[in-house]
Amino acid sequence: MASIDTLTLPLDQTSADQLAASGLEYARVDADGDSYRPFQRAVVRGFLAGEPTDDESENARLTLRTRRLTAVYDRGGVEPEVPVGTVDSWATELTTSPGRQTGMWAISAVAVAPTHRRRGIARAMLGGELRTAADAGFALAGLTVTEATIYGRWGFSPATWASDVEIDTGRARWTGPVGPGRLDFVPRDAIAGRIAAVHERVRRQRPGAVPGWDGRWRGVAGTAPGDKEGDKVRAVAYRDTAGVERGIVVYTIADRNDFTTHELDVRALFADSSEAYASLWRFVLEHDLVAKVTARLQDPVPPVQWMVADRRAVTATLTDHQWLRVLDVPGALASRSYSAPLSVVIRVTDPLGFADGAWNVRIDDEGEAVVEPVSAADTVDVEMTVNALGSLLLGGVRVTELATAGLASGQPRVLSAIDRTFAPVMTPLLDIWY
Ligand SMILES: CC(C)(COP(=O)(O)OP(=O)(O)OC[C@H]1O[C@@H](n2cnc3c(N)ncnc32)[C@H](O)[C@@H]1OP(=O)(O)O)[C@@H](O)C(=O)NCCC(=O)NCCS
């Protein structure tokens, strides 16, 4: 599924018609054509960054060449070649259970010019993305969000959460395991490739994870054009006693007038073993002349809290991170393995229609799902919105909690059974932005 070439899929006619009715043009953008640079300028402006330099634009092109770029144009404008709406999307893999992946339609760069906001441009673009993804057979769409208020209306809902972590190193004091392997600096020009290699192993085991890409890793490594901190980026890798690289931490250290209170910011810490995770955290927490360590996109309850003498030296601020949208209920539910058998009829309400219906969900003794539609007359055990189903899918939240919030309903006994079945083997986590 993830190998589908989304660039060959046709433009959604419903969206094209909706936009044409407002005098707007919906079009695909060729990353190697003349329309690329204005497209990229519009994206950057939408996300409130400065005008991209030639180098930045060319660097972004390396990534966007692999993406399906779609734009909305107001040809009557002063700069008719600059889109008033942008979106990019691509087929990726979502890890649903350790070692198990499914195809997902990833969406990014959703931006509407502030001169054209609240006229339904995002609505047309998002509708086009969802219809194109569903028609191509994707059971799920996913995105990360700037604001929590935007995407619920299109059936997206948080499915993985992540913590921003701040650690007072003076209070923390390492009490965790001490890895038997070794730490070495990674040469600057090798950092991006080495992050990619570790992350590729990590993401296959972690529910909620998706693959990174070269441009993402160049950005983390500080080697992408326009990174003002780029020359401060350092990386240290952990190798186990067999000499195999097991993890990497990429960081910068900010200047401070008081030389003993520097702040170390972790740009990435990926480890595919517990000893590598502990060794890399110990390295940053015991770094000389550093008083504070910060890191983003860590586990909701970061394991490092258990590895220091004073857990309150670790402040973890939780936020929703990855939002999922179920497009095909049988496909989405069959994409993961489960922790206990189950037999229930779930009624899913989806105002956009994709997932709407009643579904007989059976999970066998091996934890595999078979999901079939049932007629409206059949007895329904549980009702939930498509948003709630997206949140529940990876087991990052309990259905009993969603029921408390009024997003699902059913007998307590049935809801508890669903929670036992959906309990994840590992807490879902998306450890990058996309
Ligand atoms: C968010 C954004 C794409 C919305 O585009 P838009 O074309 O103005 O949105 P639409 O006119 O299609 O709005 C559709 C609906 O979403 C609502 N909506 C749009 N933006 C919203 C926001 N930021 N917060 C809450 N609701 C929002 C509209 O009110 C409308 O609601 P309705 O269904 O009740 O009528 C645009 O404001 C933008 O580009 N923002 C900056 C970049 C950004 O944050 N992008 C999102 C990346 S994850």
Side-chain angles (χ1 to χ4, degrees):
M1 170 63 72
S3 61
I4 277 185
D5 182 2
T6 61
L7 276 68
T8 61
L9 300 174
L11 200 63
D12 180 70
Q13 195 54 45
T14 305
S15 295
D17 293 345
Q18 285 167 355
L19 290 160
S22 309
L24 300 168
E25 183 184 320
Y26 189 48
R28 291 283 312 285
V29 172
D30 174 4
D32 288 307
D34 291 343
S35 52
Y36 166 72
R37 288 292 289 268
F39 176 92
Q40 206 255 337
R41 276 182 58 209
V43 174
V44 169
R45 184 171 63 192
F47 286 89
L48 314 182
E51 283 293 301
T53 63
D54 288 353
D55 280 352
E56 286 165 6
S57 208
E58 288 311 307
N59 180 58
R61 195 199 296 264
L62 298 175
T63 298
L64 295 180
R65 217 175 241 147
T66 64
R67 305 268 174 98
R68 176 183 169 85
L69 312 182
T70 311
V72 177
Y73 295 94
D74 178 354
R75 295 299 187 190
V78 173
E79 288 185 300
E81 75 287 1
V82 181
V84 294
T86 59
V87 58
D88 86 52
S89 49
W90 67 105
T92 191
E93 281 187 343
L94 174 76
T95 299
T96 54
S97 312
R100 184 159 169 169
Q101 282 77 36
T102 192
M104 184 177 79
W105 185 272
I107 298 172
S108 188
V110 177
V112 171
T115 49
H116 287 65
R117 66 197 285 276
R118 309 302 180 265
R119 297 188 201 173
I121 294 177
R123 177 184 305 289
M125 294 196 302
L126 263 297
E129 293 298 315
L130 295 182
R131 283 186 291 272
T132 306
D135 288 350
F138 286 81
L140 287 170
L143 39 71
T144 55
V145 309
T146 53
E147 283 185 280
T149 48
I150 304 172
Y151 292 101
R153 58 175 51 73
W154 290 294
F156 289 89
S157 192
T160 73
W161 286 257
S163 282
D164 287 350
V165 170
E166 192 176 305
I167 305 180
D168 177 342
T169 61
R171 281 177 68 180
R173 195 169 59 79
W174 188 259
T175 55
V178 175
R182 57 174 292 149
L183 297 170
D184 292 286
F185 276 100
V186 178
R188 187 175 165 74
D189 59 359
I191 296 175
R194 303 271 281 278
I195 305 171
V198 177
H199 186 266
E200 187 53 19
R201 296 196 299 277
V202 170
R203 69 98 183 168
R204 289 179 174 280
Q205 297 306 316
R206 184 48 96 98
V210 304
W213 57 94
D214 290 348
R216 163 62 66 231
W217 303 137
R218 283 195 302 279
V220 175
T223 49
D227 186 343
K228 295 188 180 66
E229 300 275 291
D231 58 350
K232 291 188 175 169
V233 175
R234 298 210 159 80
V236 165
Y238 176 82
R239 273 187 286 161
D240 65 18
T241 51
V244 179
E245 193 159 296
R246 291 296 187 185
I248 187 166
V249 59
V250 186
Y251 63 95
T252 57
I253 299 184
D255 296 331
R256 285 286 175 272
N257 287 337
D258 175 352
F259 213 73
T260 62
T261 60
H262 285 75
E263 191 173 318
L264 188 154
D265 182 53
V266 173
R267 287 189 161 202
L269 192 158
F270 299 134
D272 74 357
S273 72
S274 311
E275 71 178 52
Y277 177 88
S279 299
L280 293 168
W281 270 108
R282 182 177 175 225
F283 171 78
V284 294
L285 292 183
E286 294 193 338
H287 199 294
D288 286 328
L289 307 176
V290 166
K292 185 160 95 174
V293 172
T294 54
R296 287 162 299 283
L297 303 185
Q298 299 299 305
D299 288 81
V301 180
V304 68
Q305 282 186 2
W306 306 93
M307 298 175 167
V308 293
D310 182 352
R311 66 174 56 244
R312 292 197 181 173
V314 182
T315 307
T317 307
L318 189 67
T319 186
D320 55 275
H321 184 41
Q322 178 164 237
W323 293 48
L324 295 182
R325 204 293 175 204
V326 173
L327 293 165
D328 162 22
V329 175
L333 289 176
S335 72
R336 61 163 287 192
S337 60
Y338 294 86
S339 299
L342 184 73
S343 181
V344 286
V345 174
I346 300 179
R347 165 99 180 103
V348 179
T349 49
D350 180 0
L352 297 186
F354 298 102
D356 202 66
W359 309 91
N360 185 359
V361 179
R362 272 174 291 125
I363 313 289
D364 67 18
D365 291 342
E366 271 69 55
E368 295 298 317
V370 177
V371 181
E372 286 160 343
V374 293
S375 81
D378 278 84
T379 309
V380 170
D381 300 302
V382 182
E383 297 197 31
M384 67 179 78
T385 61
V386 66
N387 305 61
L389 184 63
S391 286
L392 179 65
L393 183 67
L394 301 177
V397 66
R398 292 166 184 267
V399 76
T400 41
E401 294 162 354
L402 296 168
T404 301
L407 300 170
S409 62
Q411 293 294 327
R413 164 184 66 74
V414 179
L415 297 176
S416 296
I418 292 178
D419 280 339
R420 280 194 295 281
T421 298
F422 278 71
V425 177
M426 292 173 80
T427 305
L429 178 72
L430 172 69
D431 52 16
I432 59 171
W433 283 91
Y434 67 83

